Amino acid sequence: MKIYTAHPGHHIEGLARRDAERPPLGPRDVRVRMRAVTLNYRDLMVVSGNYGLGSDPVVPVSDGAGEVIAVGDDVQRFAVGDRVMGSFFPDWTEGEPDAWKTKAALGGSRPGVLAEEVVLDQDAWVRTPAHLNFAEAAALPCAGVTAWNALFESGPWRPGERVLLLGTGGVSIWALQLAHAGGLETVITSSSDAKLERARALGADHVVNYLSHPEWDRKVLEATRGEGVHRVVEVGGKGTLPRSVTTLRPGGALALVGGFAGFDGAIGPMSLMIGAKRAFGVFVGSRKMLEDLARFVEARALRPVVDTTFDFDDARAAYAHLESGRHFGKVAVAVG
Ligand SMILES: NC(=O)c1ccc[n+]([C@@H]2O[C@H](COP(=O)([O-])OP(=O)(O)OC[C@H]3O[C@@H](n4cnc5c(N)ncnc54)[C@H](OP(=O)(O)O)[C@@H]3O)[C@@H](O)[C@H]2O)c1
């Protein structure tokens, strides 16, 4: 079978398509013919050597969907022909995170899904929402679950409460779709007016161009009648954190998700103390969260936004497209 390997530190040029042995099938294992994967910012960090993986080649990418083609003798949860997606942390099935549950992650410390076939324990797979194609289903495991976790796993929401989303990448567009479907008021930022128009079409209530308005936090406050938002899905880190805190209303919370504008940021304690604001970290999520997300997506007939789908042979071009920042939502690679 064909797989890709990524060589940490060798960047996109280090991605190589190779022949590999089919992985063996244990009694609890499910063999899946992958049909599509989607990329995350993390996959760029892996190839650039900024993900703490050492220097050995890895099979990259965490998010994939496909069809079950074989099951081990003890498998109860799936049958040949089922359409499934892999869970980001194969060992975190439910409950609170724990070091042992988040140690193994697909496309990182465990081989990923940019391969024609993937074999994982039955506990690591979830059925895809029936109305989604494979590329759409492949958008759920990391970006979708992260957005779900940041929005709905910490504290209850009341309809009409407000959330701020930063940029129009994979996590933020997911969060926009989920928040809108969940009855929240949404504000989203982007560097591009054309992307903001697309965000409006997905239900964004307020949009702010952060390039035209470098003090975008003021615009967010204006849009929310000076009151601020209840939550920020904070994907920017160092470059956005201080302004994100300013947009929070008293009692509001930062869901600390990412660092596309730097992972080493800091905010002063006073900025949270005044107004009893809080911050919490988000680390993708469990298989249970993926199942809950899939149920919600199916019930609301949501379709994740797949910007472009590249051929398996063009995986490097898919990475380059993600790196360019031209995308809106997710970038996918069809497998086979
Ligand atoms: N903690 C976790 O479990 C977890 C899970 C998933 C992702 N993450 C992190 O979350 C972040 C986003 O990931 P992603 O996969 O959604 O990335 P992505 O799809 O690559 O998002 C890129 C988009 O971010 C926007 N952006 C870039 N710089 C910005 C800035 N200074 N201010 C506002 N927006 C900016 C741009 O949107 P416009 O083109 O609209 O300007 C860009 O297109 C990354 O840091 C990633 O590592 C963390």
Side-chain angles (χ1 to χ4, degrees), residues 39-42 44-45 142-143 146 166-172 189-192 195 210 235 240 256-261 263 282-284 322 325-327 329-330:
L39 303 182
N40 292 287
Y41 187 86
R42 165 192 192 251
L44 295 173
M45 295 171 72
C142 177
T146 300
L166 304 176
T168 57
V171 172
S172 295
T189 68
S190 175
S191 56
S192 151
K195 288 182 175 184
Y210 64 82
V235 288
T240 55
L256 295 175
V257 172
F260 56 45
F263 276 96
V282 171
F283 200 18
V284 193
L322 183 75
R326 288 196 303 273
H327 63 290
K330 299 297 296 175

Side-chain angles (χ1 to χ4, degrees), residues 2-329:
K2 300 268 187 279
I3 63 166
Y4 270 88
T5 53
H7 210 148
H10 291 229
H11 303 279
I12 295 173
E13 300 73 44
L15 283 164
R17 212 186 59 165
R18 300 172 187 279
D19 290 314
E21 296 290 319
R22 297 177 85 196
L25 190 75
R28 286 179 47 85
D29 286 340
V30 173
R31 185 188 300 281
V32 171
R33 174 75 175 87
M34 296 311 294
R35 299 291 299 278
V37 309
T38 66
L39 303 182
N40 292 287
Y41 187 86
R42 165 192 192 251
D43 299 310
L44 295 173
M45 295 171 72
V46 167
V47 295
S48 63
N50 294 324
Y51 202 71
L53 289 180
S55 55
D56 289 343
V58 296
V59 181
V61 183
S62 55
D63 291 13
E67 222 167 338
V68 174
I69 54 172
V71 297
D73 290 343
D74 296 344
V75 168
Q76 307 282 340
R77 298 184 65 230
F78 298 102
V80 170
D82 285 348
R83 294 156 64 101
V84 294
M85 51 202 170
S87 183
F88 184 93
F89 292 118
D91 298 327
W92 186 8
T93 52
E94 61 186 341
E96 295 294 312
D98 210 326
W100 68 267
K101 295 180 183 175
T102 55
K103 193 165 173 219
L106 301 181
S109 51
R110 276 275 181 90
V113 297
L114 192 49
E116 286 180 328
E117 288 183 18
V118 173
V119 171
L120 293 171
D121 187 279
Q122 62 172 343
D123 283 345
W125 297 104
V126 170
R127 275 189 185 72
T128 66
H131 66 296
L132 298 186
N133 63 37
F134 285 111
E136 291 166 336
L140 272 75
C142 177
V145 169
T146 300
W148 174 269
N149 190 353
L151 287 172
F152 299 128
E153 295 286 336
S154 276
W157 283 94
R158 297 163 71 84
E161 289 189 341
R162 303 188 193 105
V163 61
L164 170 64
L165 313 162
L166 304 176
T168 57
V171 172
S172 295
I173 291 301
W174 255 121
L176 172 63
Q177 293 182 282
L178 296 173
H180 180 63
L184 305 178
E185 187 176 336
T186 53
V187 192
I188 190 164
T189 68
S190 175
S191 56
S192 151
D193 288 339
K195 288 182 175 184
L196 289 174
E197 276 316 302
R198 292 184 69 185
R200 271 203 195 280
L202 287 174
D205 295 294
H206 312 283
V207 301
V208 178
N209 186 317
Y210 64 82
L211 287 186
S212 326
H213 302 287
E215 296 186 340
W216 49 266
D217 46 338
R218 287 179 183 228
K219 285 280 166 197
V220 174
L221 287 171
E222 273 172 39
T224 56
R225 298 173 283 285
E227 292 169 9
V229 298
H230 297 78
R231 186 159 306 175
V232 183
V233 178
E234 225 309 326
V235 288
K238 184 179 184 180
T240 55
L241 257 176
R243 291 189 192 282
S244 288
V245 175
T246 310
T247 69
L248 279 179
R249 51 166 284 129
L254 292 174
L256 295 175
V257 172
F260 56 45
F263 276 96
D264 54 350
I267 43 175
M270 287 293 271
S271 65
L272 293 182
M273 265 190 284
I274 306 295
K277 300 173 182 179
R278 63 195 174 88
F280 63 93
V282 171
F283 200 18
V284 193
S286 64
R287 188 193 83 199
K288 170 76 166 50
M289 293 181 207
L290 178 58
E291 288 166 338
D292 290 348
L293 168 66
R295 188 184 318 108
F296 184 75
V297 163
E298 198 164 272
R300 290 283 177 271
L302 293 180
R303 301 198 89 98
V305 179
V306 177
D307 176 278
T308 313
T309 301
F310 291 82
D311 288 342
F312 191 67
D313 292 347
D314 287 336
R316 284 185 185 179
Y319 274 70
H321 187 58
L322 183 75
E323 191 174 53
S324 76
R326 288 196 303 273
H327 63 290
F328 179 91

